[in-house]
Amino acid sequence: MSEPTREEVDRLPGPVVLEFGADWCPHCQGIQPAMADLRARYPQVRHIGIEDGKGKPLGRSFRVKLWPTLVFMRDGQVVSQMSRPSREEIVNGFAELAAQPAG
């Protein structure tokens, strides 16, 4: 699947988590158990994994500099963004996003 454009991401309805990273990144690999658990716990939150790298326009549009970077969005608006988050930060990000009423 090709990387979505920023315009496509900004039009996504409801809660969305963008996960920027790379398969070989040890920090990205380290959060996968938490991400799998939270995706199962919050099925209403759409998850989009994005293989990021130099010159990738979507990552640059969110000013991604470290991996993993998670961008929590609702109805195209950024709710929060975190780089190299702890498990607790990820849990709180999902919970906050899922608790917000639909726009």
Side-chain angles (χ1 to χ4, degrees):
M1 184 174 147
S2 64
E3 177 180 294
T5 65
R6 178 64 190 256
E7 292 75 26
E8 290 169 333
V9 168
D10 288 344
R11 287 195 305 264
L12 292 172
V16 177
V17 175
L18 304 178
E19 179 184 352
F20 291 92
D23 288 342
W24 54 265
C25 167
H27 299 286
C28 301
Q29 294 166 1
I31 70 164
Q32 291 314 303
M35 291 299 291
D37 176 51
L38 291 162
R39 287 194 309 266
R41 195 182 314 172
Y42 296 103
Q44 73 275 31
V45 176
R46 179 186 290 184
H47 172 265
I48 301 174
I50 298 155
E51 186 77 14
D52 195 37
K54 185 176 181 178
K56 294 280 196 157
L58 188 58
R60 303 304 65 80
S61 76
F62 285 100
R63 296 187 171 98
V64 172
K65 296 194 186 303
L66 294 173
W67 298 326
T69 292
L70 301 180
V71 180
F72 294 85
M73 300 179 73
R74 173 168 292 286
D75 299 323
Q77 299 298 312
V78 175
V79 174
S80 65
Q81 182 167 331
M82 52 189 75
S83 297
R84 294 201 181 154
S86 67
R87 179 179 175 83
E88 182 179 357
E89 289 172 317
I90 299 168
V91 167
N92 291 341
F94 268 87
E96 178 185 352
L97 192 60
Q100 293 181 357

